[in-house]
Amino acid sequence: MYDHQLHQRINQILQQHKIDIAGKDNFFYVRMMANADSMYQLYKEIYGSSTASEKHFNQLLGVMIHAYQQRSETLRKKDEEKADKGNWFLSNEIMGMSLYADRFCGDLSKLGNKLDYFEKLGVNFIHLMPVFESPEGESDGGYAVSNFRKVDERFGSNHDLEKLQKKMNDKGMYLMLDIVLNHTSHKHEWAMKAKQGDKHYQDYFYMYSDRSIPDEFEKSMPEIFPESSPGSFTYIEECNNWVMTVFHHYQWDLNYTNPLVFRDMLDNILYYANLGVDILRIDAPAFIWKQVGTTCQNLPEAHTLLRLIKQCVLIASPGMAILGEAIVAPKEIMKYFGTGSYTAKECDVAYNATHMALQWDMLATGDTRVMLAAQHEILQKPYGTTWITYTRCHDDIGLGYDDYMIRQAGYEPYGHRKFLQDYYSGNYDGSPATGALFSSNPKTGDARISGSLASLCGLEKALNDNDERAIELSVRKILLMQAHSFFLGGIPMMFYGDEAGYTNDYSYLNDPGKSYDNRWMHRPVIDWEKNKKIDIEGTIENRVFSATQRLISIRKKLEVVADYKNLTWLTPHNMHVAGYLRSFEDKKLYCVFNFSDRSAYLTWYAFKSHGVEPTVLYDHWTGMELPVGENYDHLVIEPYGFHLLEPR
Ligand code: GLC
């Protein structure tokens, strides 16, 4: 709604900053005025309207104006181009990879020389795992940031990052960086000052002089890393205080009830925007608001804060989309896209963590029913938002979908999850997977799963056993999993190494800064000699790489797989086959995947019950034309095989 007083107030501040509202800064001015009221309302929802909070609101406006003024001409032009395109991130032409610069190739400057590798594969969107300063040995893979503005020497310099971004931009590639919003490292300047007793900075954290409030909190807060960092508070000897540390003991939770924390972190967000970030990954947003008596996850205020961030970004750097890394229950994930009048106005992108885990469920059981039971939830994603679709990332696989989904498929939830944990951690007789349990919590029976795509698909064991048939099956599984997530809708995000079939890397066990966290087993150090094999016909590296490359090029050619809310699940005719239909305008693509180790028979009727009756289907995967048979006849899909079928 239009608010005249607010308009006047903003005009005044803009004038002080010499913003040319009718001239060159007009696009900024329009954005500011269009979003001012909702931004102000969201702000007041959290911080009220006391004299102090009104003062802080003005400061927030100052932060945004300053960031806009710092934004380069190139980025401003890109903002306009993206605005003209609309929701640019829905495109089928975007293909992502997530990687650690140091483990991938040494550092950021060397990464600049690897862009041809990405181009060869078809990747044009890179998620650089955290590169900002983080204490070695206490870094949580870079998610314990001690300086939000300084690239860690391990990765190079700020200049290297800027150079890389420019090079990527020139090639039309997109960049994703993280903002670790929920916490800082205990070595961050704010934490250091708090330790020294500086009250101003102690208020940046949840700090208490005795255990009474921490005890209250801990009654209802689940533990995130129960094995390596039990509890949610850490005693800080220097200042004789307890500080909230939901993740590791060296990650101090920021206190967003303090408007200065919001102001300073928004400043960091916009700093990243001005580095040329196309999608900002907001790390662990589910945790940013705390309230005694709750799990301190997914609270309504966390959503209000994210909406406020979205409004501020829309004004200062509209070309940057927001990804909320909420790896929570299916129903809760959906809320990060916004609800009510904020539908599609919170995070533009979220991880399809539910589906990721369900793919692993299907692969272990050969049964698609639990996955299907979850779809009514996932399909509610609002138009204009999208998923990151993925099979593996740097984190563990959590089996966080709901019990009722498991029950609906006829399984008992505890036993079903236990089976999956055993299957992937190598504790189930006959399982080819070599993963491990992560963060087992004996109190709750909960455990997540670590392991690389290839190892979880059985390649490591097959290679050790020198079993050619098992190798073939594991390669098929790798491609089945990738294909299923590449065509589902959303931005596919591969994890580095998976494109060349990397199995688990156990070198982390020799590093005391990593050995306590088995997620490092699936964060490989790339051996570029080995990678040369991607060009040697018949090698595993070549089989996986060239097939992945082909899948990517198919995806990029087919606009029907862009994420236009155009996904329909095929009526199941065979519980081993996951099948979805992608449609756009007069185009259709049937994607069918056999998750079992036997050939699967799918009635041709499956292709005739969705508005069209194709007579010939062209398989983009095999390049073959398949005549559609009678309803009593079947398409036979080989074990762990799949088809991408377009009616001709
Ligand atoms: C996110 C990251 C994970 C990290 C955690 C704490 O979930 O993906 O790697 O441990 O946040 O920052």
Side-chain angles (χ1 to χ4, degrees):
M1 263 177 11
Y2 178 69
D3 177 339
H4 185 64
Q5 280 180 4
L6 181 64
H7 190 148
Q8 304 284 68
R9 173 174 169 187
I10 293 178
N11 267 355
Q12 246 179 27
I13 298 177
L14 291 172
Q15 243 169 34
Q16 286 160 14
H17 286 83
K18 303 205 167 24
I19 295 289
D20 179 6
I21 60 173
K24 68 173 176 35
D25 301 321
N26 185 254
F27 184 35
F28 172 67
Y29 182 60
V30 169
R31 296 194 310 259
M32 176 67 98
M33 285 313 169
N35 295 297
D37 182 58
S38 37
M39 181 183 59
Y40 188 44
Q41 295 304 328
L42 290 165
Y43 180 87
K44 284 196 295 189
E45 248 180 68
I46 298 282
Y47 299 114
S49 55
S50 64
T51 316
S53 73
E54 292 295 336
K55 187 181 101 196
H56 294 135
F57 182 72
N58 283 357
Q59 290 178 2
L60 207 61
L61 292 172
V63 164
M64 283 155 50
I65 296 167
H66 178 72
Y68 164 72
Q69 287 174 323
Q70 297 291 307
R71 197 155 176 80
S72 69
E73 263 318 308
T74 318
L75 290 177
R76 288 186 193 181
K77 241 181 84 196
K78 213 170 155 187
D79 286 340
E80 293 196 26
E81 283 163 16
K82 283 179 177 164
D84 288 343
K85 265 197 208 161
N87 298 318
W88 57 275
F89 41 79
L90 306 182
S91 165
N92 57 303
E93 289 173 22
I94 308 178
M95 185 71 213
M97 182 184 276
S98 179
L99 59 90
Y100 295 93
D102 56 341
R103 300 174 84 76
F104 186 71
C105 63
D107 59 31
L108 291 170
S109 73
K110 295 198 185 95
L111 192 59
N113 302 327
K114 287 280 181 235
L115 300 190
D116 52 349
Y117 180 77
F118 301 121
E119 283 182 316
K120 178 171 171 166
L121 182 59
V123 163
N124 55 6
F125 170 45
I126 295 181
H127 171 209
L128 272 186
M129 294 297 294
V131 290
F132 292 96
E133 205 177 73
S134 176
E136 185 127 39
E138 292 180 324
S139 86
D140 187 19
Y143 286 104
V145 182
S146 50
N147 187 336
F148 288 103
R149 307 276 179 117
K150 186 170 175 290
V151 168
D152 198 296
E153 279 170 11
R154 270 173 285 167
F155 305 107
S157 64
N158 286 36
H159 179 64
D160 295 334
L161 179 59
E162 281 158 29
K163 251 176 71 183
L164 175 69
Q165 190 278 331
K166 279 211 175 71
K167 217 166 161 180
M168 286 174 59
N169 189 48
D170 291 346
K171 287 182 176 289
M173 296 173 80
Y174 297 113
L175 173 68
M176 176 154 102
L177 291 184
D178 282 86
I179 178 82
V180 187
L181 201 66
N182 180 64
H183 44 259
T184 71
S185 153
H186 68 141
K187 295 278 171 66
H188 188 280
E189 189 192 347
W190 302 337
M192 300 292 274
K193 288 190 169 152
K195 273 186 208 172
Q196 288 155 12
D198 185 332
K199 177 80 178 79
H200 178 80
Y201 286 105
Q202 288 189 342
D203 288 346
Y204 272 47
F205 302 97
Y206 291 91
M207 269 209 158
Y208 304 99
S209 54
D210 62 40
R211 283 283 320 178
S212 53
I213 297 178
D215 284 345
E216 280 305 306
F217 266 116
E218 281 187 351
K219 279 185 192 156
S220 51
M221 284 174 91
E223 292 171 297
I224 306 300
F225 296 134
E227 288 165 320
S228 58
S229 272
S232 299
F233 285 82
T234 300
Y235 178 66
I236 309 300
E237 214 175 304
E238 289 94 323
C239 58
N240 187 25
N241 270 331
W242 291 86
V243 72
M244 187 185 282
T245 53
V246 167
F247 291 89
H248 292 101
H249 61 86
Y250 51 77
Q251 289 164 306
W252 289 20
D253 287 63
L254 285 165
N255 183 346
Y256 283 93
T257 63
N258 180 349
L260 299 183
V261 171
F262 186 80
R263 179 199 66 188
D264 290 354
M265 289 306 283
L266 183 76
D267 203 14
N268 288 328
I269 287 174
L270 298 180
Y271 173 79
Y272 291 171
N274 284 348
L275 288 176
V277 169
D278 295 286
I279 300 187
L280 183 74
R281 179 187 184 276
I282 298 190
D283 185 60
F287 296 83
I288 58 178
W289 194 265
K290 281 56 176 201
Q291 177 75 55
V292 167
T294 72
T295 58
C296 296
Q297 290 181 31
N298 306 310
L299 295 180
E301 291 85 348
H303 290 284
T304 308
L305 286 170
L306 290 170
R307 291 168 189 186
L308 180 55
I309 291 172
K310 176 67 192 163
Q311 295 293 312
C312 298
V313 166
L314 266 179
I315 295 170
S317 52
M320 183 171 79
I322 302 286
L323 159 66
E325 187 251 346
I327 312 298
V328 290
K331 226 189 191 59
E332 295 299 333
I333 296 185
M334 303 311 296
K335 294 182 187 160
Y336 287 84
F337 292 119
T339 49
S341 57
Y342 277 90
T343 301
K345 293 192 183 85
E346 195 174 310
C347 295
D348 305 293
V349 193
Y351 282 90
N352 201 343
T354 307
H355 199 81
M356 180 277 296
L358 288 163
Q359 277 192 235
W360 288 105
D361 186 313
M362 288 193 283
L363 192 73
T365 59
D367 181 342
T368 59
R369 290 174 301 174
V370 182
M371 182 278 292
L372 282 169
Q375 295 307 323
H376 71 100
E377 201 66 75
I378 300 177
L379 286 172
Q380 289 175 34
K381 178 173 69 61
Y383 185 86
T385 59
T386 199
W387 294 115
I388 292 284
T389 59
Y390 64 122
T391 54
R392 287 303 289 116
C393 70
H394 68 288
D395 278 331
D396 45 284
I397 302 167
L399 306 170
Y401 37 93
D402 297 296
D403 285 357
Y404 80 83
M405 296 168 179
I406 301 176
R407 278 201 198 96
Q408 207 162 303
Y411 298 109
E412 183 276 309
Y414 178 82
H416 186 71
R417 287 204 179 85
K418 177 87 175 69
F419 161 72
L420 295 173
Q421 290 160 1
D422 288 347
Y423 183 90
Y424 286 116
S425 61
N427 290 321
Y428 184 80
D429 228 14
S431 160
T434 42
L437 293 184
F438 174 70
S439 273
S440 299
N441 191 338
K443 284 178 253 170
T444 59
D446 188 33
R448 284 116 72 182
I449 296 155
S450 283
S452 75
L453 173 65
S455 289
L456 294 179
C457 285
L459 184 60
E460 186 176 328
K461 182 168 186 305
L463 287 172
N464 285 339
D465 297 348
N466 208 0
D467 179 342
E468 200 34 64
R469 168 79 186 145
I471 293 176
E472 167 60 22
L473 280 183
S474 63
V475 170
R476 279 197 210 170
K477 286 189 203 173
I478 291 171
L479 298 174
L480 173 82
M481 293 291 276
Q482 295 291 47
H484 188 82
S485 78
F486 285 6
F487 292 89
L488 184 70
I491 306 173
M493 181 68 82
M494 280 187 289
F495 194 58
Y496 79 107
D498 289 347
E499 81 284 8
Y502 269 71
T503 52
N504 290 341
D505 182 337
Y506 298 103
S507 62
Y508 80 100
L509 290 168
N510 305 322
D511 178 345
K514 297 189 170 70
S515 55
Y516 62 87
D517 185 340
N518 70 20
R519 289 176 298 174
W520 287 101
M521 75 167 59
H522 53 254
R523 302 169 179 175
V525 176
I526 297 300
D527 169 356
W528 287 93
E529 274 309 306
K530 175 176 150 70
N531 266 51
K532 282 187 186 153
K533 293 197 202 150
I534 60 170
D535 293 321
I536 304 174
E537 192 107 359
T539 60
I540 288 163
E541 291 78 1
N542 170 268
R543 280 152 74 183
V544 177
F545 188 93
S546 57
T548 309
Q549 193 180 36
R550 212 146 55 76
L551 283 173
I552 296 172
S553 84
I554 297 170
R555 176 182 146 89
K556 285 189 178 175
K557 279 194 288 218
L558 299 175
E559 195 183 1
V560 70
V561 298
D563 195 12
Y564 301 145
K565 217 169 159 56
N566 47 347
L567 169 79
T568 312
W569 286 92
L570 297 187
T571 316
H573 290 274
N574 179 331
M575 73 174 198
H576 306 298
V577 178
Y580 52 75
L581 170 64
R582 307 300 316 276
S583 354
F584 180 57
E585 295 181 343
D586 59 343
K587 294 281 186 200
K588 289 203 179 322
L589 187 76
Y590 296 90
C591 307
V592 289
F593 305 85
N594 177 9
F595 276 86
S596 84
D597 58 0
R598 314 249 169 104
S599 294
Y601 291 71
L602 187 63
T603 164
W604 288 109
Y605 180 68
F607 302 97
K608 301 180 194 169
S609 50
H610 292 88
V612 281
E613 290 211 12
T615 49
V616 176
L617 292 168
Y618 172 71
D619 186 358
H620 284 272
W621 179 234
T622 58
M624 293 194 347
E625 290 210 333
L626 309 177
V628 177
E630 300 293 338
N631 293 346
Y632 53 77
D633 227 334
H634 298 93
L635 166 69
V636 184
I637 316 175
E638 62 176 16
Y640 302 116
F642 61 90
H643 299 278
L644 307 169
L645 303 166
E646 184 179 347
R648 278 282 154 92

